[in-house]
Amino acid sequence: MSIFEKAFGPSMDIQNFINGAFVAPVNKLKFDNINPATASVICTVPDSDEMDVEMAIDAATAAFPSWQKTSNEERFRILHAISTGIMDNLDKFAMAESLDTGKPVSLAKTVDIPRSAQNFEFFATAIMHFASESHEMQDVAINYTLRKPLGVVACISPWNLPLYLFSWKIAPALAAGNCVVAKPSEVTPLTAYLLGEICQKAGLPNGVLNILHGFGHKVGAAIIAHPKIKAISFTGGTSTGKTIASIAAPQFKKLSLELGGKNPNIIFADAEWDKAMETTLLSSFRNQGQICLCGSRILIESSIYEKFKEEFVAKVANLKVGNPMDGTTNVGAVVSKNHYHKILDCIELAKSEGGKILIGGHPLKMDGDCEQGYFIAPTVIEGLPQNCKTNTEEIFGPVVTLQPFENEAEAISIANGTNYGLSATVWTSDLKKAHRMANNLEAGIVWINTWMLRDLRTPFGGVKQSGVGREGGWEAMRFFTDAKNVVIKY
Ligand code: NDP
């Protein structure tokens, strides 16, 4: 019996979730979903196309008039019930996320799934507090702003944090009164599928959320091009973001794009050593380095460069790479065979660009169940110039580079020297320096002496080619509503 069967019962076909029911794609086509830790088939996935999109959009369109009028209290109740439903099934969701992605099940259980539940909880309460402005023109008139849901919107998410990012979009869209057609990545469909069951039990009316599975270039492209889709919230690669923008812009769809990153992690000599070291280990290799916020470029002040390098490499050597189901594993498998080869090609490129591999730089063969899995040794590279491809293009794997810098100005120049601008981390005990760095870094998020600490009320997103628009808090609620100004003359 496979591990999947043990967790979920006999092997099954994932189905689309349309109008409150689980249905096969109209064309009956399907493809295999592979567990990257074992290279074995988990289940099959619908290879949906524009016929399924049409059905989903019809269902969402029919559900919208009633959903937009549903009271905030009722929307709160349903989203809260979805959140509770996820946490009631924490083990099942964590297992599914780990099987799909190759991430340690311990990570899925402590980060991915609790945060997904929190996303629904957060936006459940947000709709109870969301208010709009009024502007008085003294003795002349009063303006007030109404915020109306948009209608049917699309939410498209990637494979690295599947339910976490899927729910980060769906929850505010639903809270604001929209109906949703959503697509998870085709390589990680399991938790999105399980979410459908939770929504049914939570009493979400039919058609309010529709989940389609399949390939981005096929069903994803059909969703975003559909004239009835009023807004697109997309997280994924920068090149996919460009394609989506080129289709959405001429149709004047609202667009939120959360794209790639090549984030600097800047360590000054006056940093609190142990905290900087331990957190850098996490920001480099958590989720196999496949988080858009990972600090893949470690910039170290020259005076501590050799000492930091030596200790960091020794700690990397102690990371346990292995079976994601083992509770003591730090680093699991990368998400797919394609991605595994892409990362290994990037490592070869780094070598050809003159990089010196300090540790890792090769695939890892496991024993037992994971013998055929896609594992890569955590890799640290030094000696590369700032403007080479390895230091400017996203790898999205367990690979980091080290670069020395002499002073603040040089740190800023290296840090800002890519087309990306998602996040940056700064380690220093000097408050004034921290403020100067935060002010000068080209990034949507700057962490000082921490990493990935998130308050869901804050704006989240990137500058330059890392994206357009912001998610989180009121930013998300505003994105998923249209403002209407009403003027009443006194
Ligand atoms: P992709 O851009 O390949 O895919 C993202 C999603 O878009 C998937 O569901 C994909 O489907 C779908 N898609 C692909 N092509 C189209 C299309 N033409 N029309 C509509 N949908 C499409 O990204 P990855 O899944 O490879 O994810 C990794 C990327 O995501 C990295 O670049 C990473 O930096 C970025 N990311 C950004 C974050 C941020 O907040 N800024 C957070 C997390 C990741 P399919 O899988 O079937 O191709």
Side-chain angles (χ1 to χ4, degrees), residues 275-434:
K275 280 196 184 148
M277 183 63 69
E278 288 305 327
T279 311
T280 296
L281 213 56
L282 288 178
S283 64
S284 301
F285 300 116
R286 180 178 261 187
N287 205 41
Q288 299 68 249
Q290 304 165 136
I291 305 180
C292 52
L293 304 165
C294 275
S296 53
R297 296 184 294 143
I298 307 176
L299 317 185
I300 308 162
E301 193 162 358
S302 299
S303 59
I304 57 161
Y305 183 86
E306 289 301 327
K307 183 169 174 249
F308 192 94
K309 172 175 99 180
E310 202 177 307
E311 191 174 321
F312 182 65
V313 169
K315 285 194 183 293
V316 173
N318 282 334
L319 289 173
K320 184 173 169 200
V321 185
N323 190 338
M325 294 298 151
D326 177 346
T328 61
T329 292
N330 303 117
V331 179
V334 299
V335 77
S336 65
K337 190 175 182 180
N338 278 348
H339 197 55
Y340 167 84
H341 287 299
K342 187 206 141 188
I343 296 167
L344 292 175
D345 287 349
C346 288
I347 294 172
E348 288 311 308
L349 175 72
K351 287 186 202 162
S352 73
E353 289 180 321
K356 179 178 168 197
I357 309 286
L358 297 172
I359 188 165
H362 53 80
L364 282 176
K365 269 272 163 242
M366 299 293 148
D367 294 330
D369 285 354
C370 297
E371 201 182 351
Q372 302 297 322
Y374 311 124
F375 294 86
I376 296 177
T379 300
V380 182
I381 307 172
E382 72 168 354
L384 286 162
Q386 162 50 25
N387 56 4
C388 69
K389 284 191 169 178
T390 304
N391 270 333
T392 51
E393 292 180 9
E394 194 179 36
I395 298 173
F396 218 55
V399 181
V400 293
T401 61
L402 307 186
Q403 291 172 267
F405 66 85
E406 292 300 329
N407 51 38
E408 260 177 78
E410 193 184 11
I412 288 286
S413 156
I414 298 173
N416 291 344
T418 75
N419 289 329
Y420 293 107
L422 187 55
S423 72
T425 301
V426 179
W427 292 94
T428 178
S429 298
D430 179 338
L431 187 60
K432 286 187 180 168
K433 185 164 38 180

Side-chain angles (χ1 to χ4, degrees), residues 79-80 82-98 103-123 161-168 171 191 195 286 452 454 456:
L79 293 185
H80 173 69
I82 295 173
S83 173
T84 308
I86 292 171
M87 285 312 279
D88 286 347
N89 290 278
L90 176 63
D91 287 340
K92 187 175 175 184
F93 270 93
M95 168 77 83
E97 207 70 298
S98 174
K103 72 176 69 196
V105 70
S106 56
L107 182 67
K109 198 167 170 178
T110 52
V111 177
D112 290 70
I113 306 306
R115 168 61 194 274
S116 307
Q118 209 189 341
N119 288 339
F120 280 105
E121 189 70 28
F122 178 84
F123 285 106
L161 304 169
L163 191 63
Y164 178 133
L165 292 174
F166 201 54
S167 52
W168 183 232
T191 48
L195 180 66
R286 180 178 261 187
M452 232 176 137
R454 296 275 297 114
L456 303 191

